[in-house]
């Protein structure tokens, strides 16, 4: 089987490629990534067989590039798994247009190619954030209305609606998996776990948004990779599958766990002005994917400790990916503007 997988130089994409090459035989992957600030080929350097092998090929390019997608589709692919997206809620607040371009128009481009080239299956990686905020005891199932609360989640919700339209109008075979907050190695250090870990190591304060009681359901990235593959291979066309771990943890509690793991001082935690439109809690009901045969295996505390230790022991990776980001003048100004005022 030959698949186009997009967004593979990012966090979940690189973990997915590693997972698939380790666990699935007779699979050839064409990796596509436009190498935005959060995407870097170093995330793929240690995949089995290396970046260029008979099982894996990397192409630097965008899902928005119709000619490029057509060219890839012409060589014959059996499916598309789309992870390419801009993913940081805070950045979406400043640059919502970038999110519409990549997360919505890019998806539409892939959907139209799926129809034109009769590609057998399209899988979209979506998020629990499309349902908006709730309480852990009131999780949303897949039939819940879409009520996105920020400019990132609204772009993801829009993409999900385009998929429904493409199934209906073009008759493509498509499925969606909506995951909760992932954690694990290779996540760009603007997201809370690697960001706070880095700051604790550097002895800097942890800028915790608002009261810190907001809750997220933390899902270990390898568990999500298994969910993605299960939905791609066994999911029913047109269906949506939630994948959550049931590890609801407040941001304050998470910060304390990180401080404790690195044996630092709880005084590093500093409450700062809240994020605009900060959703209180995301929660999903995952019964449907569990019926398909999935359940998360990871113990949250064990994997969180391993993840923190990974970032601590991979400072070279952290420095390298951050250097690339600050090499871009736009990103440098973003870091200045966004993070300086928090400390
Ligand atoms: N991280 C999470 O907790 C989480 C949870 C649920 C769903 N998701 C979804 O999973 C996917 C991957 O998330 P992630 O956390 O790995 O994000 P990430 O930001 O680490 O990686 C995204 C990758 O997409 C690439 N990209 C962006 N625009 C592109 C384009 N136009 N063409 C090609 N590549 C492009 C980037 O260069 C980057 O490598 C996203 O679709 C995200 O919405 C993430």
């Amino acid at each position: 089987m030959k698949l186009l997988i997009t967004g593979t130089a990012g966090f979940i994409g690189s973990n997915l490629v590693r997972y698939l090459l380790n666990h699935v035989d007779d699979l050839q992957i064409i990796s596509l990534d436009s190498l935005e600030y959060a995407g870097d080929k170093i995330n793929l350097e240690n995949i089995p067989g290396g970046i260029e092998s008979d099982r894996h090929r990397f192409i630097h390019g965008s899902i928005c590039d119709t000619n490029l997608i057509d060219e890839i589709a012409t060589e014959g692919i059996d499916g598309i798994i789309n992870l390419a997206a801009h993913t940081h809620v805070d950045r979406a607040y400043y640059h919502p247009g970038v999110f519409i371009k990549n997360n919505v128009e890019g998806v539409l481009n892939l959907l139209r190619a799926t129809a034109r080239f009769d590609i057998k299956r399209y899988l979209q990686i979506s998020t629990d954030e499309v349902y908006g905020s709730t309480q852990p005891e009131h999780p949303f199932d897949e039939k819940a209305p879409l009520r996105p609360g920020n400019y990132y989640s609204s772009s993801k919700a829009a993409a999900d609606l385009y998929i429904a339209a493409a199934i209906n109008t073009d008759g493509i075979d498509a499925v969606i998996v909506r995951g909760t907050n992932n954690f694990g190695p290779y996540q760009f250090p603007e997201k809370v776990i690697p960001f706070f870990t880095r700051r604790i190591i550097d002895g800097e304060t942890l800028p915790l948004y608002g009261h810190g009681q907001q809750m997220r359901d933390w899902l270990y990235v390898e568990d999500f990779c298994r969910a993605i593959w299960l939905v791609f291979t066994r999911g029913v066309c047109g269906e949506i599958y939630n994948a959550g771990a049931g590890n609801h943890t407040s941001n304050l509690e998470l910060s304390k766990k990180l401080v404790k793991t690195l044996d630092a001082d709880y005084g590093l935690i500093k409450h700062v002005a809240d994020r605009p439109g900060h959703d209180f809690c995301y929660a999903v009901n995952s019964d449907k994917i569990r019926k398909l045969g999935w359940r998360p295996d990871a113990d949250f505390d064990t994997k969180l400790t391993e993840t923190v230790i990974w970032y601590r022991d991979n400072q070279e990776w952290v420095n390298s990916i951050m250097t690339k980001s600050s090499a871009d003048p736009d990103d440098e100004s973003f870091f200045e503007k966004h993070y300086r005022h928090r400390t």
Side-chain angles (χ1 to χ4, degrees):
M1 188 192 305
K2 196 193 237 184
L3 297 182
L4 169 62
I5 310 185
T6 68
T8 46
F11 164 47
I12 301 175
S14 60
N15 277 287
L16 178 67
V17 166
R18 196 171 296 105
Y19 173 82
L20 294 178
L21 291 176
N22 275 323
H23 292 92
V24 181
D25 294 330
D26 299 324
L27 181 66
Q28 277 182 283
I29 299 173
I30 302 174
S31 259
L32 176 72
D33 199 296
S34 54
L35 301 179
E36 309 294 324
Y37 70 90
D40 198 306
K41 280 169 77 176
I42 55 169
N43 294 348
L44 291 166
E45 266 171 9
N46 64 1
I47 58 173
I51 296 180
E52 300 300 331
S53 73
D54 53 351
R55 301 183 66 206
H56 183 270
R57 178 152 60 95
F58 182 83
I59 298 176
H60 179 192
S62 172
I63 59 168
C64 301
D65 182 341
T66 309
N67 292 335
L68 176 62
I69 302 300
D70 283 5
E71 218 176 279
I72 295 168
T74 307
E75 67 175 80
I77 50 175
D78 301 299
I80 297 178
I81 300 181
N82 179 41
L83 297 106
H86 281 244
T87 58
H88 193 38
V89 173
D90 294 330
R91 289 179 188 256
Y93 181 72
Y94 292 103
H95 304 290
V98 172
F99 286 68
I100 296 172
K101 176 84 196 153
N102 292 281
N103 299 3
V104 185
E105 288 180 31
V107 168
L108 182 58
N109 199 32
L110 293 175
L111 294 171
R112 297 318 289 263
T114 302
R116 268 198 312 281
F117 291 89
D118 223 3
I119 294 168
K120 289 191 209 101
R121 169 146 281 196
Y122 176 92
L123 170 60
Q124 173 73 4
I125 311 305
S126 185
T127 163
D128 59 350
E129 297 195 29
V130 298
Y131 300 116
S133 192
T134 184
Q135 300 283 343
E137 56 277 20
H138 298 296
F140 294 120
D141 69 16
E142 292 82 355
K143 290 194 169 71
L146 300 181
R147 291 205 177 96
N150 61 60
Y151 298 125
Y152 158 68
S153 53
S154 54
S155 71
K156 296 295 292 184
D160 288 1
L161 295 178
Y162 273 97
I163 290 158
I167 294 168
N168 190 46
T169 58
D170 280 326
I172 68 164
D173 178 312
V175 276
I176 296 174
V177 59
R178 291 182 178 148
T180 58
N181 267 49
N182 275 224
F183 72 102
Y186 298 102
Q187 188 168 33
F188 189 72
E190 67 185 349
K191 304 283 170 66
V192 66
I193 291 176
F195 178 53
F196 278 14
T197 299
R198 182 168 149 255
R199 288 187 72 94
I200 295 168
I201 290 166
D202 292 347
E204 292 181 291
T205 57
L206 309 185
L208 184 68
Y209 278 146
H211 45 54
Q213 295 307 320
Q214 296 89 354
M215 268 185 260
R216 300 295 180 260
D217 174 11
W218 291 98
L219 171 62
Y220 188 58
V221 66
E222 194 170 312
D223 281 335
F224 192 41
C225 291
R226 281 193 297 107
I228 291 171
W229 188 240
L230 184 70
V231 171
F232 185 78
T233 51
R234 304 256 318 272
V236 175
C237 169
E239 295 295 325
I240 297 167
Y241 297 87
N242 292 335
N247 289 324
H248 279 98
T249 310
S250 76
N251 291 340
L252 178 59
E253 209 181 323
L254 178 73
S255 307
K256 287 183 178 167
K257 282 178 190 280
L258 300 178
V259 168
K260 189 166 175 220
T261 305
L262 291 168
D263 208 12
D265 186 341
Y266 290 118
L268 285 178
I269 301 171
K270 293 272 181 262
H271 295 268
V272 299
D274 208 351
R275 158 191 279 174
H278 200 168
D279 284 334
F280 177 70
C281 171
Y282 302 123
V284 291
N285 173 325
S286 306
D287 288 353
K288 193 166 160 185
I289 194 170
R290 280 174 177 266
K291 280 187 196 129
L292 214 54
W294 177 84
R295 65 172 175 79
D297 278 345
D299 172 73
F300 179 51
D301 285 330
T302 307
K303 285 299 173 189
L304 184 65
T305 302
E306 278 178 27
T307 299
V308 169
I309 301 301
W310 188 89
Y311 287 108
R312 188 196 67 191
D313 293 349
N314 284 276
Q315 286 298 303
E316 212 177 305
W317 176 87
V318 172
N319 293 336
S320 163
I321 203 149
M322 292 306 290
T323 308
K324 180 198 158 190
S325 168
S326 3
D328 176 338
D330 284 345
D331 282 320
E332 176 62 26
S333 64
F334 178 86
F335 268 85
E336 284 296 306
K337 181 166 74 174
H338 194 68
Y339 293 121
R340 184 143 301 209
H341 80 276
R342 290 192 190 178
T343 54

